[in-house]
Amino acid sequence: MRNTTMTRYTKLLILTLSLCTIAAAAHSKTTIEWWQFWTDPAIAPTIDSLVREFEQQNPDIDVKVTNLTWANGHEKIVIGFASGSGPDVVELGSDWIAQFAANGHIADISEDVAEDSAAFQGWGMSTYEGRVYAAPWILGTRVLFINRDLLTQAGYDTSWLPVSLPQFYEAIARIDSLGRPDGIYGWGSNTAEKHRLYKKYMPFFWTYGAQLFTDDGEYCVISSTKAVDALKDYKWISDDYGYVANQRGIEDAFLDGRIGVILSGDWLLKRIEIEKRKINFATTLFPGPGYPGRSFMGGEFLAVNENTDHREEALKFIRFMTSPKNQIRFCKANRSSNPSSLEAQADPFFSEDINRLTFIKQIKLAKHPPVDPDWVYIEDEIERAVEDALFGQGLPATALHEAQIRITKIKEE
Amino acid sequence: MVRRRTLFGQVLHYGLLIVVLAVMVGPLVWMLRVSLLDKTVSLTAQNLLSASITVANFTDLFAQSDLARYLFNSAFVASVVTLGNILFCVMVGYVLARRQTWPSRILFATVVIVMMIPVHIVIIPLYLICLKGGIYDTYWALILPFLINPVGIFLAKQYIESIPPSMEEAARVDGASELRILFRIVMPLCKPAIAVLAVLAFITNWNSFLFPFILTSSEDLRTLPVALALLQGHQAIDWQHLMAGSTVAVLPVLVLFFVMQRQVVSGITAGGIKQ
Amino acid sequence: MKSRSLTAALFASPWTVSFILFWTFPLLYSFWMGFTDYQLLSRHAPQFVGFDNYRALLGDRDFIASLKNTFIFVGGTIPVTTVVSLVLALLVNREFRGRGFFRSAYFLPWVTSMVVVALIFTNLFERGGYVAMLAQMVGFEPPVNGFLYDRGTALYAIMAMDIWMAVGYYMLIFLAGLKAIPDELYEAAEIAGASSWRQFTSITLPMLRPVALFILVINSIKSFQVFVEIFVMTKGKFDTSTVVYFIYETGLQTQFKFGYASAAAYVLFVIIGVFSILQFALMRRRQAAW
């Protein structure tokens, strides 16, 4: 008897206590901090309304948004993590994930996202040593932008587009022969710009079948015959048909109708739309043997601070932002970005627009650099090799060979 | 030294002067012209000469970007730093000029040494000091380290030494406090030197790039030079707008220079150093 | 008396504090950092690594290249700047109508923000830009991709811009030097029948020597620290990286290797120090000789 009374009391006590806890929880709001990069007037209102909507759905969570800029956002994140004042949720470019994961600044979220793995693309970029450290949000790649008018002037059919490398090179050559005096160039070639130059070479590199490392990741093989051939051809079109400028300069010249073909990202679609540029252009997949070729992929990811006190809320927010519906909302507002959600990719917004569709298709056939905290150094070496071959005295083979030796040394350290 | 010149010599002289003038002022005129050019027009020589003038780039920038904010930041920081320089440099210069004790001499030696030390080599520790001191990315980081500057102290000290101390001594006999002597006697007597060091401090700080660039990261705290340098790499900025922003960054200093020309020149020839 | 010392100490305190906090401490701090593996992103505390950073710097081709570029920059700009500014000073020294106007106009580049100057010249140096057009006019074939996108011209283009910017300033200093030369010397020479050229070489030039040396010292201290123009115009590409740019890139960008960057800063510090001491010694010897 006594026992039962005890139990009853205990139960009552537990009930009361848990009720109290729930009530207390309902009253105390959790604030999570989110650092993100989308600030231009086209997209900022959408970010804002997404956050408001999340707060309405989760009355117990407040989201404090801090805007970062591309110019020094990375620096700010590093300082935030180093000084222990980092945000709960942070947007990271795919290049940065390994660095933060390896130094223990962002949380392993493998278990939390396990069920989503089939519904999203891009996990490869946020998986470091077998564990997932960030959720893919927005993906990006580069495709060919071709000036149709110049193509027609060079004698091609109005609907023709190159599907193989020889066709691609020939088209560049024929457009280029339309005349330098009038300022017509076949190809837009990037000058030495940090993080930009090598990204233009990599599609050639991968499409030619070259690899950075052996399959077991043990040895750097960046100076393989295929890689050298890719660099030779890249140098050839750059030297003979290339309008060499920075990314902005190339795009300006392309939009002014002075360049036949350039390799560019979805931001250019947005620019053409916003600036209402009248240019007769087409987008097409990077050509290759075994069409299409492999382009370069990167992306924007959402990660959770390893030291956050609000892990669940942070994950909830990430799920909300990356949900197919909200990805589409984001991409529509930004006009061109590519969602990581497969469901979102299938939306008519993408499938019914020929240019946006090119990007979605290319993303499925794009590669990304290895997730490696040393990637920043490796990238530097690749970039230097390309720079040497294109603008210095270096021969493609020797430049790549030197890069291989140095990358091997980096890996050994 | 008055010498007679031939007509030919004079023509040659003016010819040279004008050629140099074109080289020295040409780029600035180009900036001004491009800032007043319609943004849809390309920057060909013909357009620069014949296209009409518009202020749309300026109104665009003020309406669509935070230019007003950057302008405020530049003006605010440069003004506060200038005021600090006036107050502190004269204060320290006064002590160094009037006291012949050994601590004062050592202190003056540190001023001269620091004038010779390259500032850029302390960027990393200064960055860390601001970070750990909690002033990184605040106005304090833009102001505190620059409130006093050795060149200013040097100028003030040299000037005060040229004034006879009789007035201060008379005031001291009358029982005036040192603070009162500083503000009521020394400062007013130093007006010419103050004008010089104020103009130099203002121009230097207004144009300063490296320290504002590394000691802040928020867009809200950008000064004009930082904003312009970062704007340049931006996707959607054209030369017309960039040059409009540049004009805004240059104009106040040019006006100040023309108004205070004599002070600038005498400051430079006396102190000799501007960062 | 005691209270006067106290007031003096109080009045001097802004400098004392600033000297300790923003000069002495940073210099000692970065000296220490130069011997550690301090890296902002890393989780472990900085560890003492002896001379590792300095040894690594010697084998770092980026550092060696930036050192080389810095020397080219200093060695190339200083003589040209000095000579051109002297010529300008002579040009505006005599009495003529509009002298004040020309002086101020030549000085304008110096009061303009370096960022703005760098932006303007980025455009002027572009392919098909005004500098390319001028080059063609005098029969020089400009680089196809523009002056800043060519390893052979980028650094020199930036140096030319720096000279353009600095000559007005040094012209003013030379003018002050010219003013200080007593007129009697010229009058005596005139009476002795010396030609203008003779007067220039035997009076003007020797009398300007202290000013020229002064210019040499301050110009080299400034030039060794070239950074802003590199940041705005080339980001260190096309063989234009300088030591301060190297410090910025290794210390304050992606890597945040404070230890390594501090070591590089100290190397620069020592180089500038040695240069300044040499120049001062030279100045003193010359002065003693007169």
Side-chain angles (χ1 to χ4, degrees), chain A residues 310-328:
Chain A
H310 313 295
R311 191 186 158 96
E312 285 317 310
E313 291 85 350
L315 283 164
K316 206 176 204 176
F317 179 67
I318 291 180
R319 275 195 203 100
F320 174 85
M321 289 307 285
T322 57
S323 72
K325 192 182 80 180
N326 289 334
Q327 286 199 4
I328 293 174

Side-chain angles (χ1 to χ4, degrees), chain C residues 25-287:
Chain C
F25 180 61
L27 283 170
L28 294 174
Y29 196 15
S30 65
F31 184 70
W32 169 76
M33 280 195 287
F35 291 100
T36 68
D37 63 352
Y38 197 174
Q39 199 169 349
L40 187 58
L41 207 59
S42 157
R43 286 214 140 177
H44 72 78
Q47 261 152 25
F48 185 76
V49 294
F51 279 93
D52 279 7
N53 287 329
Y54 289 93
R55 225 169 285 143
L57 278 175
L58 287 180
D60 186 334
R61 55 194 164 145
D62 285 336
F63 180 70
I64 301 297
S66 61
L67 207 55
K68 190 194 90 191
N69 292 335
T70 308
F71 274 110
I72 294 177
F73 190 94
V74 174
T77 53
I78 289 184
V80 181
T81 305
T82 312
V83 171
V84 174
S85 52
L86 175 60
V87 171
L88 291 191
L90 294 170
L91 205 59
V92 296
N93 188 38
R94 27 166 122 171
E95 296 282 347
F96 62 91
R97 212 181 259 267
R99 182 167 76 159
F101 166 78
F102 283 106
R103 280 185 187 183
S104 315
Y106 295 175
F107 184 67
L108 280 188
W110 182 261
V111 289
T112 309
S113 138
M114 175 56 95
V115 171
V116 169
V117 169
L119 287 174
I120 294 172
F121 276 84
T122 301
N123 187 294
L124 298 183
F125 282 138
E126 270 184 2
R127 64 163 80 212
Y130 282 88
V131 178
M133 272 159 55
L134 281 176
Q136 252 160 351
M137 265 192 245
V138 298
F140 173 79
E141 195 49 45
V144 277
N145 301 325
F147 288 91
L148 296 176
Y149 292 156
D150 190 292
R151 284 191 181 183
T153 55
L155 186 61
Y156 298 101
I158 297 176
M159 284 160 64
M161 177 190 84
D162 263 72
I163 292 168
W164 172 83
M165 197 169 168
V167 284
Y169 169 64
Y170 296 110
M171 171 194 81
L172 284 185
I173 299 182
F174 268 127
L175 277 174
L178 286 169
K179 222 191 211 166
I181 303 176
D183 277 351
E184 295 83 54
L185 289 178
Y186 291 105
E187 279 156 18
E190 199 90 6
I191 291 162
S195 68
S196 306
W197 177 250
R198 186 70 211 277
Q199 289 181 25
F200 176 71
T201 52
S202 51
I203 299 173
T204 315
L205 275 187
M207 294 298 281
L208 280 180
R209 212 171 257 159
V211 179
L213 276 166
F214 172 72
I215 287 177
L216 206 65
V217 173
I218 55 172
N219 196 3
S220 53
I221 292 177
K222 194 181 83 69
S223 300
F224 269 116
Q225 303 181 67
V226 53
F227 169 81
V228 182
E229 43 279 63
I230 309 295
F231 176 83
V232 174
M233 299 172 91
T234 58
K235 297 269 191 297
K237 294 290 183 181
F238 295 103
D239 262 342
T240 59
S241 178
T242 58
V243 177
V244 175
Y245 194 80
F246 176 87
I247 295 169
Y248 162 75
E249 257 207 344
T250 47
L252 298 170
Q253 279 216 303
T254 41
Q255 297 311 309
F256 291 88
K257 290 165 146 185
F258 288 160
Y260 196 51
S262 297
Y266 251 85
V267 173
L268 183 65
F269 182 47
V270 169
I271 292 174
I272 299 180
V274 168
F275 256 75
S276 304
I277 290 169
L278 274 180
Q279 285 164 335
F280 272 122
L282 196 67
M283 204 187 312
R284 190 154 291 177
R285 225 187 53 207
R286 285 283 165 80
Q287 268 168 349

Side-chain angles (χ1 to χ4, degrees), chain A residues 39-41 67-69 71-72 75-76 79 83 196 247-248 251-252 267 271 275, chain B residues 64 127 131 136-137 213-214 216-219 222 230 232-238:
Chain A
T39 53
D40 78 273
N67 294 328
L68 305 177
T69 59
N72 50 12
E75 181 196 339
K76 215 170 169 176
I79 292 168
S83 61
R196 288 215 173 110
Q247 185 65 27
R248 166 84 193 183
E251 284 164 15
D252 284 346
W267 60 82
R271 188 175 162 198
E275 292 179 12
Chain B
Q64 290 159 21
Y127 178 86
L131 206 58
Y136 172 80
D137 203 22
F213 172 61
I214 62 165
T216 66
S217 64
S218 301
E219 245 169 305
R222 282 183 192 165
L230 296 180
Q232 181 218 8
H234 206 271
Q235 277 292 327
I237 183 83
D238 48 57

